Amino acid sequence: MIKVVFFATPKIALKSLDYLIKSDKIEVLAVVTQPDKPTGRGHKLCAPPVKEYAIQHNIPVFQPDSIKKELEIQEELKKLEPDFFVTFAFGQILSKEVLEIPKFATINLHASLLPLYRGANPIQRAIINGDKKTGICTMITEEGLDCGAICLIDEIEITENMNYEELFEHISEKSPELIEVTLLSIKSGELQPMEQCCDNVSYANKIKKEDAQIDWSKSAREIHNLVRGLYKSPSAHCIFREKFVKILETRVLENEHKEEFQGSTGEILKISKEGIEVATTKGILLVVKVKPEGKGEMFARDWVNGLSGSIPGGAKVLIGDKFL
């Protein structure tokens, strides 16, 4: 039986934790996660998903503000005598002292094909950059940012209209078995991790508020990728008639490379049951779903009908209006 301490915080790690807890080859000794944080308008303290799941299964939970500085927690972890630490979107950097606690190694699950997209937001960045594939890696955690030797890799295709939530789910589904096989293979000596190649290193910088603002002077393809990559987290957005509008779903029309269409960037060219056609510097973007300020998610055509219902002439009066 392999003894493990599981370091994780968000929902994406839940299926891996569940898998390891139910495995007859793994014993999860404890969970280490981030502290409870205030959320919502009432700023009510909310526990991380991983903590809630661990408590339901009677797994001890540690919540350090900084695992590097909290020596008491480090001592408690040493007493558990784990074979491995497993980290998956934990959210804190582990110090040399912490990494030396497990008998074999600390294994990190990273949601990219390393050395691509080291850092905090690899799933979003892969979609935003228009990549056709990504994947998951297990790696030996070292001091530094996602630079350790690679254990196992599993590639995942990114399809034309796949959004962040869908790719997130693919990664969540594929991760558990990869973690278990890595642990078993390292302990048995069957797996020899390979050092990362120094070529093609890139970083998935943290998503900033300004990153979500749509720039209509970019191509339809670039805006479509932004919408997919930031789907509901935090959502690409723009301004229309001085109101904040989140753009949740789009399509690049087949005539994206044609230059004959009329219209300046951000201008509404056509309205149909499929959505709103908007001009960009290169190509036309079909806006399918939106979340207007103060309202819920809806189809763009329904939003348009609601805006123009009291205006003579119907929805066509919107043609020529611009998203900013």
Side-chain angles (χ1 to χ4, degrees):
M1 185 73 75
I2 296 177
K3 297 186 292 182
V4 164
V5 175
F6 193 77
F7 290 66
T9 300
K11 179 183 176 183
I12 195 170
L14 284 178
K15 288 183 180 178
S16 293
L17 176 58
D18 177 72
Y19 188 94
L20 296 180
I21 287 175
K22 293 176 180 177
S23 170
D24 59 2
K25 304 178 183 71
I26 309 290
E27 180 185 2
V28 179
L29 304 172
V31 162
V32 183
T33 188
Q34 295 274 42
D36 296 359
K37 292 184 177 180
T39 59
R41 293 182 179 179
H43 299 287
K44 182 180 178 181
L45 279 180
C46 185
V50 166
K51 174 186 176 180
E52 293 181 342
Y53 189 89
I55 290 173
Q56 290 170 9
H57 290 79
N58 299 312
I59 306 292
V61 176
F62 298 96
Q63 291 183 274
D65 289 316
S66 172
I67 187 65
K68 295 189 293 185
K69 298 177 181 178
E70 301 196 26
L71 302 183
E72 290 184 8
I73 291 180
Q74 291 182 30
E75 289 303 316
E76 291 298 317
L77 295 176
K78 288 177 184 178
K79 292 176 185 177
L80 296 175
E81 299 182 347
D83 295 315
F84 293 93
F85 286 165
V86 173
T87 61
F88 188 175
F90 170 48
Q92 295 183 25
I93 301 296
L94 305 188
S95 63
K96 180 175 181 290
E97 290 74 19
V98 174
L99 293 174
E100 290 176 344
I101 292 175
K103 180 179 178 180
F104 290 95
T106 296
I107 304 299
N108 179 53
L109 191 292
H110 188 74
S112 80
L113 298 175
L114 291 169
L116 297 175
Y117 301 122
R118 295 176 178 176
N121 294 106
I123 303 175
Q124 291 96 325
R125 291 298 180 188
I127 298 177
I128 290 170
N129 290 341
D131 293 357
K132 302 300 183 184
K133 69 177 182 179
T134 186
I136 47 177
C137 296
T138 49
M139 55 173 283
I140 305 294
T141 302
E142 299 177 357
E143 290 185 277
L145 184 62
D146 300 323
C147 58
I150 302 297
C151 302
L152 295 174
I153 296 174
D154 194 356
E155 290 190 356
I156 299 172
E157 179 186 7
I158 304 177
T159 55
E160 167 74 12
N161 296 310
M162 179 182 285
N163 63 38
Y164 166 73
E165 193 171 85
E166 292 164 342
L167 181 53
F168 177 103
E169 188 60 30
H170 275 289
I171 290 170
S172 180
E173 291 280 356
K174 281 178 166 284
S175 300
E177 189 172 354
L178 197 72
I179 293 172
E180 183 184 54
V181 172
T182 300
L183 296 173
L184 295 171
S185 300
I186 289 180
K187 186 176 182 181
S188 69
E190 297 174 12
L191 174 62
Q192 296 299 318
M194 296 183 61
E195 295 299 321
Q196 287 188 43
C197 175
C198 293
D199 298 331
N200 301 319
V201 173
S202 63
Y203 294 90
N205 298 326
K206 188 174 181 180
I207 302 293
K208 298 178 182 177
K209 205 171 186 179
E210 54 267 30
D211 293 335
Q213 174 72 47
I214 293 175
D215 179 359
W216 294 98
S217 69
K218 292 189 175 182
S219 71
R221 178 71 55 187
E222 289 175 298
I223 297 171
H224 176 60
N225 292 340
L226 181 71
V227 170
R228 295 190 298 133
L230 299 185
Y231 180 73
K232 295 187 178 180
S233 183
S235 294
H237 63 264
C238 58
I239 303 297
F240 183 77
R241 292 183 176 176
E242 300 183 352
K243 294 288 186 179
F244 186 90
V245 181
K246 291 182 177 181
I247 308 296
L248 301 181
E249 185 179 337
T250 56
R251 294 288 184 271
V252 177
L253 297 186
E254 292 181 3
N255 60 350
E256 64 168 313
H257 297 297
K258 294 182 180 179
E259 298 179 356
E260 310 90 68
F261 68 85
Q262 301 296 313
S264 58
T265 58
E267 183 177 339
I268 296 175
L269 303 175
K270 182 180 177 181
I271 298 166
S272 68
K273 63 180 181 180
E274 283 77 28
I276 305 170
E277 295 184 16
V278 185
T280 72
T281 295
K282 183 179 180 181
I284 299 173
L285 188 73
L286 179 70
V287 177
V288 179
K289 287 184 181 179
V290 299
K291 186 181 184 304
E293 184 177 328
K295 296 183 179 180
E297 177 181 338
M298 64 181 71
F299 285 104
R301 64 174 182 267
D302 296 332
W303 173 58
V304 164
N305 289 336
L307 279 176
S308 59
S310 60
I311 303 175
K316 291 183 180 180
V317 298
L318 291 180
I319 295 174
D321 271 348
K322 294 187 70 173
F323 287 97
L324 303 177

